[in-house]
Each structure stands twice: as C-alpha cells, then as structure tokens.
C-alpha cells in the first residue's frame, strides 16, 4: 500500500520535490511560473463551470418546465466534467489543483512547499474572480454562481456538508494522483467524477462550494450578497484537514503490519 | 481465459492471499485493520449516494416540474458514480467491496477468508448505518433512501430483480477486479457503471438495493418502516450465489478445451 | 495503420483464429461452448437494457411531468451503458458481440468462422427472447421495448437510419477491438458510448434497433405487434455491410502508400 | 514538461511528420488519401451529433413537458459523445480533427503541413454539409442544427464565448493528443468531454459552434437563414489562435528553467 515513487518524471504531476531544495526560496522562479499557469488553469476550470451554471439559470428563466432536479444534475455535470478535463490538461504542468483546500492538503502531505502553497492559493482565488467576471461580462442577466445554504439547512449543517464533500475530493487527489499506481495517469477522471457526485448531494443543501476559490470568485464580482461566505472557507478547510488526517492514518497502517 | 496471476503486488486489490496463511486466525490483525478502513470506505460510498437520493427527494418537494424519470436517473448517478470513485480510492487498500453480497462472492471465490468475510460484513453494515445517520442529521426532511418494492411489483418479482442485478454486480467484480488483465486497474469504472445501469432498471420496481448494507442502514435509522427488508437480504444473497456459480462454470470451461 | 497482431493471447478478445483450423468443424466444441456463454452475455446485456426501457415507460405512466427528451436519454443510457459493461465482462471470453450484425461483420473480417457465426447468431437471437421474457415476467404492464418507426418517419428513412447507426457500431468494433493498439483493452467503453450516442438520434425516429437480436426478442414475446420487423433485419444488415466495406477500404489504403 | 516524442509509430495519431519531407508537395498522395478519410470521419461525427439535435427538437415538438435545460444537456451529449467515439475511431488513421479550427492549431504547432491543412479544411467543411443533408433527408421537419446567438446575447459576446470554448478544445487536442504521455491513447475521451462541457455553457448563449464546419454545414443546407454565420468563423478562428499562443507560451516555460 501507498508507496510513493519519487522521480517518476514523465508522468508525475509533481516531479519537482520542494522538500529536497537547499532553501525555501531556491525554487521561487519555478513556483511563480507554476502559479501563473495554475492561474490560467483555474480560470479555465471555473469559466466552463460557471458558464454551465449560468446557462442552467438562464434556461430556467426561459420556460416553466425546467425542474430543480435537472438543474442540479446540470450544475453537477458542469463542475465535475470541467474539472475532469482541465485537471487532465494541467496535470503534468502544475498538478491542476485549482483549489486552495487541495493546495493545503498537498502542503500537509509534503508534495508542495509553503512558498508554492501561498502562490497557488493566490493564483486560485484570483482565477475564480477572473472566471466569474468573464461569465458576468459575456452572458445576460445577473451572475448565478454564488453559493449559499438551501432552504431548511442551518449553518452548522452546511459547514459539515462542505467538510465531508471536500474531504472526499482531497482524498481522491491524494489516493489517485499523489499515490503512484497503474491508474495514476487517469486520476483526473476519478477526481472530476468525485466532484460530480458530491454536487448531486450538496447543490440543493449547501450550494456545493468544496473549493474556497470557487465560492470566493462570484462573491467578489457580485459584492458579497450573502453573509454566509465564511461557510465556504471554514467547511472546506475542515474537510482538507479531515481528508489529510485519514490519509496519514492509512499510511501509518501501511508502514506497520497491514500488508495491502 | 481467466488465469489468475497471484503476487502481482503493486496493483492487486487483494495482495494478501488468506488461503496461504498458516491458520485461520494468523492474519486477524490485518483483517481487523482492513475492516476498519472498509468501514470508512463504505460510509463514504453510501454518504455520497444517500446524499444524492436525499437531494433528489428534496428537489422534488420544492417544485412540481420534477419528473419520476429524472429522479431515477439522478439516483442511478448518485449510486453508480459514488461507487465508481470510492472503489477507485479504496481498491488497493481494502479491495473496496462495500457490500456484504460482494464479500460473500469473494469468500466463495477464495479471495478472502472466513474471518475477513465476517469482519467485512460487520464493517459494511455499520458503515451503512453511519452514512444514513449522517445524511439524516445534515439534511432537512425525513430520510429518503429506504428501499421497497414499487407499485404493482409483487415480492417474488422484487426478489428476482434484486437477484439478477446483484449477480451482474458480483460478476463485474469477479471478471474485472479478481481476474487479472490489462484493464484490471480500471475495474472500478466498470463496477460503478454496472451499478448505475442496474439502478436505471430497478429503482422504480424493486427500490434497487443490490447491497444488503445499502438497504439496512436507512432501515435502521428510520426504524424499519417497511416489512419488506427481508427482500434485500434474500434477493442479493441469491444473486451473489448465481453470479459466483456462473463464474465457476466459466472457469471450468477455461480449464477444459475452450481456448479463450 | 491497422496492423493486426495475432497470438496476443492474454488480452485478445479473439485469441482463437478459426481460419487456421484444419477443417471448418474442427473447433465445433469450442464454438458451441463460446456460443453458450455468448447466449448468457446477450441475455445479461438486453436484460439490463430492456429493464431500463421498461422503467422509463412505467415512470412515464406514473406522472405527467416526464418528458420525451428525458425518456430518450434514459433509453440511450440503458442500452449504451449496459453494452459497455457487459462487453467489458465478456470481452476476453466470447468477444462480447451480442449482435448478429456485429457477428456478420466479424465473419466478413475473418475474425470468426462460418460455424461460429451461425452459432453466435442463434445464441444472440435466443438471448434477446430470453431477456425480453424475463423483463416481461418481472415487471408490471405490457413490454415496452419493441422498435418501430416514429411518427412522420417513412420506412425507407427508418431503414437508412438503422443502416447508418449500425455501420457506426460495426466500425467501432472493428477499429477499437479487432485492430490492436494501446486502447484495445478499453474498446468496450468506446463501443458502449457509440451505441449511446446512436440512441440519442434514433430512438424517436427509427426506434433504434441497430441489432436484430435486440428488436427480435420483444417482438417474439409480444407476438409481432408491428409489421415493420423487417426494417430491423434489413437496415442493420446493410449497416454491417457498409461498415465492413469502409473498413476494408481503409485497410487497402494502409497496405498501399498511405503511411498512418 | 511537454517533450514531443517523434516516430512513436503504432499509437501516434500523427506518425507522418510533414515538416521532414523533401518538398511541400512530396506527400500529396498521402495528404489526399488522409483528407478523404477525414471527410468520412467528419461526416460520421456530425451525422450522429446533428441527429441528436434533430431528435431533441422533434421530441420537444411532440410534448409540452420537455425543458430547455434537458434539451441543452442532450445536445451537449450528442456533440460531446459523438466526437469522443469518432475521434477514437479515426485517431490513428487521420488524427480525427473534424474541425478546421483544430486543423489551424495543428498547422501552427507544426504537426500538419500547409497542403494537408487546406485538404483537411475542405474535407471537414464538405463533411459538415454531407452530414446536415443526410439528417435533413432522413428525418421529418426542418433541420434543427443551425447555430445563432441566444436571446439577450449580443454579437461581441457570442464571438468571445466561441473564442473561449474553441481555445479550450484546441488546448485539449494539443495537451492530450499532440503531447505524448501515458494517457495520450485516451485523448479522445478528454477531447470529447471538453466539447461536452463547453456545450453545457454555450448552447443557450452562442449556439455553440466551436467548429466552423459544424456551423457551416446546416447553414448551407438551409440556405443561410441567419446573418450571423460570420460569428462561427471569427470566434473559433480567434480561439484557435488563443489556444495555440497559450500552448507556445507553456512550451517556452518548459524549455527554460521550469522543471515540470
Ligand atoms: Ca451579465
Ligand atoms: Ca433530517
Ligand atoms: Ca424534465
Ligand atoms: Ca427533413
């Protein structure tokens, strides 16, 4: 179980091991270049995803036969499949995290260093704002992609839903992309489908952030119309810790007698 | 056809061959650790799946334009894609069975031993209860994930539907994950899509258990509101036997003159 | 382009080359055993697919909000994903054709011999009848899976639609499964998705047979209620010829100067 | 990052490097043969896709419960999955571009030469016309597959949406198919899903051309009923340039100090 093979260059998403550098700042030029590309990737991921949300909202305004079920499935497809393809594209370039909560998990796992972590978080948050602004500029009507708790869902429930779905995403990244095995090159498929199925559950209940950059971008562009933005910072943060802790626990079993 | 290559460690879901142990209890610490992780995996699988069912039911209560067809497809996506991703995550850790009826098939096939079978069944049943309790706690309204026969479907019909769909799942696990070939690392995709397509058929007719742990969890949390719980023990049990028997028959042909 | 590597045993769907036998009847025991397993596979494919069609029809009778679009998509998913998973399961056992028109294409391509072709066609047609009978027995209401031309579609149009979609399926089998390349072990995914997308077009117009066994089974069980059964024999037959002819043409380019 | 391995014959979609020829016209016979097959492939891709659009429009005319959301998702599935499977079929034969704007990107990237570029563009445009004519001939009612900006969307917005989604497609082709890595044989899956998710956004807003051949074919068959055809030439052209420029920029980082 869980042997991380280093230096597997051609297909490793993280061939540059920051922990082996002479100093924290030795790779800063690489970190900055990677963050720039991560910014483009996050923008592309969220542009296609917010675009799908905007389309579903516009279509629901056009006719009276659209249902809430089919809108949720469409939003789930927009986020899940957009992440699937954009992670696939950027996987061997920047890792394709597109999410500060995933960045945190990779910092905890020792895959990226603290400098790259900070650069990536900034790139991802600015990418979310950029994508929301582009969708707002290119489509009629108000921006439809803000996240907020659904009717009958209290704030604690929304935080815990966000925590659970983010931990699922973090675990998918750690088990499918960071761990090396035969299907590692196909991790983007598993990661994208994880986000898809989490949306099926959470869109109607918590709004389904599971990514602080995804919730922050539309909130900035629309002037923070909801006072529940903190939910999408706290819940995914806790989910990142939960996923990372479970991953560490599994690796401990692995280094002990458990033979898988 | 069907040559099982043992000791294919790095990507085998079942690298620990229980039949080669000195005694039945020699690997009990491994069995207990694996069962603990299988408990977490089953909880994660059913949390995301029950969550999707709960969302579809809540969305159907919000508007009058939701259709029964789209609700069934959404439930099918929630179970199929949740299983796809969670099996992928736990595949090389515990095997990712998440289902007592699949555990039975692997016991019959000699992939797991009787001690691990019992531990896994307990872990899976408790995982179902845990997942149902979490969804119940985190979402408004009554729990929506109980299974029961649909209108116009008698109990014998429901048992046979459950038998056929469970045998399809069992056969998918045996042919895609237990048998070793080029696409074995991708077995979770085939297994998840098998569960998806079985749901398209069975949700409206039998409720689509095809996994005793999946039907047992919500029944426990809601106090067994239906007197048809036995269907989801008998039908999948028969399906596990049917799938295992067909698999054995195919392997017999393989060891005789049939050259595939 | 298109170099067929023989004797690639462990993952080849057709390891037994009938053209290299001493006589036509030398492998008859193998042919009969393979046909028996092909019968089970065809039954499994069509059981899950007809089941999904039956569910969509039943769900449409339960409420007034179901739409024709979502029913067609559900039928497409039932046939496409059922074929995807069942071909995957039977790929290395019998080839997983499940379709007399695909059998014809493999006879023309020299992948199976005339004896196995006849055995397979019988197995596939009887498998279709078996699957239709099981769905009829296990679900309430009349069987919903007959194929017939939609409103406004004349018989010639239906024949040509059936021809085009069957040629797409035949070409997918020849290019993805018969041709050997890196993604050959994943041919079932491409074949299943081909059937899915053909259904999106053809369900409403021609009924979407694209497989004589698929159209014959429900017709037998329901006593041939439509006088257009011949369309689902002629159209797919022409499609099998068209796909095979295009494949032969491509291989001729390949053996001449064209370098791909 | 981004090392292009030449001469990787058996699975390379572009094994014939036109830049290494003695003269521009040396490979003209190969170019013509490839263009003929590319014509068939484009026709097959758009036949299945236009067919799905026609079906969704016909189904929407049959009942009043069809929703705009589910029609958009169906159209997205028709284009995305049709491209996925047809690219997979023609990948190792012609590259499976099926799109003049993708052809332009491959010309810029040096993967195809100017003669093949011109031949491919002609083949793709004629393929679009052929597919539109076949769907028109085989189905009742007017052809439904024209692209035009949706209500409330101005022409500049439509151009920019077309530019962004085409750049996503172009980048998918360059990063998944032209770049060589473990998942290159599966590039058709990523390319098809990119087109799927772009449709989720763009169908309602810009009509979702993202391929001049796809927009040109139905316009020719229906006599150019909209005066916005130029949008589907300009937008995708700009998208092809944008995607190619970003790809070049990434490769520059790659040849400098950036280690991924
Ligand atoms: Ca706007
Ligand atoms: Ca509750
Ligand atoms: Ca609907
Ligand atoms: Ca017409």
């Amino acid at each position: 179980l869980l042997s991380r093979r280093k230096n597997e260059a051609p297909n490793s998403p993280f061939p540059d091991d920051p922990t082996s550098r002479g100093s924290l700042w030795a790779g800063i030029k690489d970190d900055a270049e990677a963050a720039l590309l991560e910014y483009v990737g996050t923008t592309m991921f969220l542009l296609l995803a917010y675009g799908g949300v905007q389309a579903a909202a516009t279509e629901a305004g056009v006719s009276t036969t659209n249902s809430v079920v089919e809108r949720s499935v469409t939003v789930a497809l927009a986020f899940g499949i957009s992440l699937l393809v954009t992670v696939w594209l950027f996987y061997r370039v920047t890792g394709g995290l597109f999410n500060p909560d995933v960045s945190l998990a990779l910092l905890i796992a020792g895959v990226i260093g603290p400098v790259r972590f900070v650069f990536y978080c900034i790139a991802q948050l600015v990418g979310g704002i950029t994508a929301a602004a582009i969708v707002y500029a290119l489509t009629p009507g108000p921006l439809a992609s803000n996240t907020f708790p659904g009717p009958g869902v209290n704030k604690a429930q929304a935080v815990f839903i966000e925590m659970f779905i983010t931990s699922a995403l973090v675990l998918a990244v750690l088990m499918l992309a960071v761990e090396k095995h035969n299907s590692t090159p196909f991790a983007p498929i598993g990661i994208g489908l994880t986000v898809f199925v989490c949306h099926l559950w959470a869109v109607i209940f918590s709004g389904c952030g599971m990514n602080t950059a995804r919730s922050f971008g539309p909130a900035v562009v629309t002037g923070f119309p909801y006072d529940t933005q903190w939910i999408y910072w706290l819940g995914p943060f806790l989910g990142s810790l939960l996923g990372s802790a479970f991953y560490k626990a599994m690796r401990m079993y692995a280094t002990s007698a458990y033979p898988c």
Side-chain angles (χ1 to χ4, degrees), chain A:
Chain A
L1 174 70
L2 305 183
S3 62
R4 222 185 301 169
R5 287 183 238 128
K6 289 279 164 62
N7 307 321
E8 197 186 8
N11 286 287
S12 168
F14 311 111
D16 175 39
D17 182 357
T19 58
S20 64
R21 288 176 186 163
S23 95
L24 194 62
W25 304 96
I28 192 165
K29 182 156 171 295
D30 290 352
D31 289 335
E33 286 177 0
L36 190 65
L37 294 172
E38 179 79 3
Y39 162 74
V40 176
T42 306
T43 302
M44 184 176 165
F45 157 48
L46 288 173
L47 179 62
L48 298 180
Y50 295 156
V53 174
Q54 194 74 13
T58 302
E59 290 158 353
V62 167
S63 74
T64 58
T65 49
N66 300 283
S67 79
V68 183
V69 171
E70 71 199 20
R71 278 175 65 188
S72 289
V73 173
T74 306
V75 169
L77 286 168
F79 276 100
I81 306 301
S82 177
L83 188 66
L84 191 162
V85 297
T86 51
V87 170
W88 203 342
L89 296 187
F90 283 82
Y91 193 42
R92 290 166 310 279
V93 183
T94 71
L97 319 186
F98 307 158
N99 184 334
D101 309 294
V102 171
S103 300
L104 177 62
L106 294 191
L107 176 70
I108 293 171
V111 175
I112 61 172
V115 175
R116 184 166 290 198
F117 168 71
V118 172
F119 281 26
Y120 268 26
C121 286
I122 294 169
Q124 290 153 353
L125 289 166
V126 179
I129 298 169
T130 308
I134 295 174
V135 170
Y136 182 63
L138 293 184
T139 59
L143 198 66
S145 41
N146 270 305
T147 51
F148 49 90
V153 179
N154 66 46
K155 289 169 187 174
Q157 288 175 323
V159 167
F160 280 110
I161 291 176
E162 290 292 323
M163 181 187 78
F164 279 120
I165 59 182
T166 307
S167 73
L169 169 59
V170 158
L171 211 56
V173 171
L174 292 169
M175 294 298 284
L176 299 184
V178 174
E179 293 297 319
K180 299 305 171 217
H181 45 76
N182 280 0
S183 59
T184 298
F186 303 91
I189 296 174
I191 293 166
L193 291 180
T194 300
V195 163
F196 168 75
V197 77
C198 288
H199 273 77
L200 285 188
W201 175 19
V203 163
I204 192 77
F205 293 126
S206 76
C208 204
M210 67 189 297
N211 176 345
T212 303
R214 176 257 174 274
S215 290
F216 186 65
V220 168
V221 170
T222 57
F224 291 90
Y226 300 95
D227 62 355
T228 49
Q229 176 69 204
W230 62 271
I231 289 174
Y232 307 98
W233 291 72
L234 178 60
F237 173 76
L238 295 175
S240 188
L241 297 185
L242 177 63
S244 298
F246 178 67
Y247 178 69
K248 293 249 170 190
M250 262 199 303
R251 287 187 69 90
M252 254 194 303
Y253 279 119
T255 57
S256 79
Y258 183 55
C260 279

